[in-house]
């Protein structure tokens, strides 16, 4: 009786999705991203996020030269005025953390905040990369360690969607459903005078739980007496429509003479009708398929360029042999873009785009699932070695 082969290991994207949203189908999760409803995902395993982060990881980080403001900050909701702890209370003038002062502030009830820890901590980097491969926008991970019986920030909303992963301890959350200020971004800071539109819902996050909170939804959180709380706030840094339109206009300016023409301010006195006549043809240009595709490619290129490369090689890259099992490096953000002519494709990634023949593009598609040069055809060996040196291929163990 022959044994069944083991199931394939989950991809980075599949693993990150499961950690984030559990069994929620991807279509439902993406639909959630397009609405304003929050969602609690109770965990079945209190150790679910222990491999991503620990207090020992934070202690090691604070003992290094990388621990400095603005990456490190502190917040205390019991302070008068703003909750932000003055930098002098935990850092030196040059920005490095002053550990005795930081520990004293923490002991007095201030929350330790470490921003974008995914840029320094490999487990979080891999997790965020998996979500980036699904969402196709940047993802960051901020860390919050709150001492017992304390609150870092008072009621507020975020200017991007967040997913909270409760790693250790418990934290009591209040969430006010709705968006009193619709779709805020970094360009629309807290306007003041914001009042909830509904009564709060109370939730206690326990280790292994996750909580999704869309931008603009008011919330706060506090620990209870007796135990500290460690959680990761995953930030979904998708661009707004306004940001994408600004990018589209900048790209269109390169090829559209009308956008480079002088704006006739002397026509402003003619009334709004004259402005509409000027803007309508340009709006139509922005909606053309070629302009939309150029903007989409620019967004993908920006994502790959701005995020850590996470290549499939180190300083010494071993050339693959004919029987070496290879796979596209799982942490590399890439896109295989067919050429408009229908002949060949362009492989977009953190480095310079790689021009591919139609045969090479087919090899790349097979390498996404894993293959040896011998399986692709021995003429692929030099191509595989080239991609391996670039860091686009990793050995598939």
């Amino acid at each position: 009786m022959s044994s069944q082969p083991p199931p394939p290991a989950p991809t980075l994207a599949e693993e990150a999705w499961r950690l984030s949203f559990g069994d929620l189908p991807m279509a439902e999760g993406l639909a959630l991203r397009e609405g304003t409803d929050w969602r609690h995902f109770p965990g079945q395993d209190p150790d679910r996020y222990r491999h991503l982060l620990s207090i020992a990881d934070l202690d090691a980080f604070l003992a290094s030269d990388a621990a400095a403001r603005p990456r490190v900050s502190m917040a205390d909701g019991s302070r008068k005025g703003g909750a932000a702890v003055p930098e002098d209370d935990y850092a030196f003038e040059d920005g490095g953390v002053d550990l005795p002062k930081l520990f004293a502030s923490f002991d007095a009830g201030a929350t330790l905040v470490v921003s974008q820890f995914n840029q320094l901590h490999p487990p979080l980097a891999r997790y965020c990369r998996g979500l980036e491969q699904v969402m196709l926008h940047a993802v960051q991970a901020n860390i919050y360690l709150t001492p017992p019986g304390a609150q870092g920030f008072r009621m507020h909303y975020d200017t991007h969607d967040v997913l909270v992963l409760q790693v250790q301890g418990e934290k009591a959350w209040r969430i006010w459903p709705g968006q009193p200020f619709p779709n805020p971004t970094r360009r629309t800071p807290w306007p003041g005078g914001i009042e909830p539109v509904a009564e709060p819902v109370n939730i206690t996050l326990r280790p292994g739980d996750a909580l999704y909170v869309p931008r603009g939804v008011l919330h706060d959180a506090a620990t209870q007496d007796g135990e500290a709380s460690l959680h990761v706030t995953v930030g979904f840094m998708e661009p707004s429509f306004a940001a994408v339109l600004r990018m589209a206009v900048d790209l269109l300016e390169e090829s559209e003479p009308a956008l480079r023409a002088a704006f006739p301010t002397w026509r402003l006195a003619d009334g709004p009708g004259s402005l509409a006549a000027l803007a309508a043809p340009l709006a139509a240009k922005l909606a053309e398929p070629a302009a939309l595709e150029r903007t989409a490619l620019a967004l993908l290129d920006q994502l790959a360029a701005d995020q850590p490369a996470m290549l499939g090689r180190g300083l010494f890259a071993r050339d693959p042999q004919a029987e070496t099992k290879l796979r596209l490096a799982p942490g590399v953000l890439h896109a295989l873009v067919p050429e408009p002519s229908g002949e060949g494709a362009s492989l977009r990634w953190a480095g310079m785009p790689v021009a591919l023949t139609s045969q090479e593009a087919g090899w790349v598609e097979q390498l996404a699932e894993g293959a040896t040069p011998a399986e692709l055809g021995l003429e692929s060996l030099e191509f595989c070695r080239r991609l391996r040196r670039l860091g686009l291929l990793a050995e598939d163990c």
Side-chain angles (χ1 to χ4, degrees):
M1 187 173 179
S2 61
S3 60
Q4 294 293 326
T11 65
L12 278 187
E14 291 168 342
E15 183 180 358
W17 184 269
R18 178 182 54 79
L19 284 172
S20 303
F21 301 105
D23 296 329
L24 186 71
M26 191 170 292
E28 292 184 29
L30 296 179
L32 187 66
R33 293 291 321 279
E34 296 171 352
T36 60
D37 293 333
W38 60 272
R39 182 79 68 89
H40 178 210
F41 297 94
Q44 305 301 319
D45 179 7
D47 293 329
R48 183 180 178 188
Y49 302 124
R50 291 293 182 117
H51 69 289
L52 293 179
L53 183 71
S54 69
I55 293 176
D57 293 329
L58 292 180
D59 280 331
F61 163 71
L62 290 174
S64 72
D65 289 340
R69 64 172 197 262
R71 188 180 297 278
V72 175
S73 60
M74 305 195 81
D76 186 351
S78 67
R79 290 176 48 81
K80 291 184 179 180
V85 174
E87 294 175 349
D88 290 347
D89 287 1
Y90 62 87
F92 296 112
E93 288 186 6
D94 65 0
V97 298
D98 183 334
L99 278 180
K101 285 187 175 181
L102 185 147
F103 290 152
S105 294
F106 181 78
D107 291 343
T111 292
L112 171 67
V113 183
V114 183
S115 299
Q116 299 180 42
F117 199 45
N118 56 294
Q119 294 180 347
L120 301 175
H121 191 55
L124 284 173
R126 288 175 53 84
Y127 166 75
C128 289
R129 179 51 43 82
L131 287 179
E132 288 167 349
Q133 291 173 344
V134 177
M135 304 296 182
L136 298 182
H137 62 63
V139 176
Q140 68 181 28
N142 294 347
I143 312 305
Y144 295 83
L145 179 62
T146 302
Q151 181 179 34
F153 294 99
R154 308 179 191 101
M155 183 183 69
H156 67 285
Y157 59 68
D158 292 300
T159 57
H160 53 267
D161 299 354
V162 300
L163 181 72
V164 177
L165 312 179
Q166 188 67 28
V167 179
Q168 184 174 331
E170 297 184 358
K171 206 162 197 179
W173 286 71
R174 292 188 299 176
I175 304 170
W176 288 264
Q179 279 187 334
F181 188 82
N183 301 327
T185 69
R186 289 183 176 180
R187 295 168 67 94
T188 55
W190 181 272
I194 293 293
E195 295 292 337
V197 297
E199 291 299 311
V201 177
N202 296 290
I203 293 175
T204 297
L205 288 190
R206 297 178 174 85
D209 286 0
L211 175 66
Y212 173 73
V213 184
R215 70 177 67 195
V217 174
L218 291 166
H219 58 275
D220 67 9
T223 56
Q224 306 303 308
D225 292 336
E227 187 176 13
S229 164
L230 175 64
H231 78 255
V232 180
T233 293
V234 181
F236 296 109
M237 314 306 290
E238 74 279 5
S240 66
F241 266 90
V244 174
L245 284 173
R246 285 191 290 270
M247 174 184 285
V249 169
D250 286 343
L251 292 169
L252 188 60
E253 182 183 1
E254 299 173 6
S255 59
E256 182 52 52
L259 275 174
R260 302 194 298 269
F263 184 86
T265 53
W266 49 91
R267 297 294 186 191
L268 295 178
D270 296 342
S274 61
L275 291 179
L278 290 168
L282 295 175
K285 285 281 186 182
L286 286 171
E288 289 180 354
L292 294 173
E293 174 138 357
R294 187 162 49 241
T295 304
L297 284 178
L299 286 167
L300 292 174
D301 288 344
Q302 184 180 68
L303 175 63
D306 289 350
Q307 300 304 100
M310 294 182 67
L311 300 181
R313 60 157 292 178
L315 289 172
F316 296 98
R318 184 172 57 185
D319 275 347
Q321 304 304 311
E323 299 298 333
T324 305
K325 190 67 175 292
L326 299 168
R327 184 181 294 271
L328 287 179
V332 174
L333 290 165
H334 71 275
L336 190 62
V337 182
E339 291 293 344
S341 65
E343 294 294 327
S346 175
L347 183 58
R348 317 291 282 252
W349 63 299
M352 293 293 293
V354 180
L356 306 176
T357 66
S358 296
Q359 183 182 45
E360 290 169 341
W363 289 339
V364 169
E365 291 177 342
Q366 291 177 265
L367 286 164
E369 301 298 325
T372 67
E375 292 168 343
L376 299 177
L378 289 180
E379 67 272 22
S380 70
L381 183 57
E382 188 51 42
F383 173 76
C384 290
R385 287 176 172 173
R386 180 157 64 99
L387 293 194
R388 175 73 171 135
R389 293 181 196 119
L390 289 173
L392 283 164
L393 290 182
E395 293 192 18
D396 190 11
C397 301

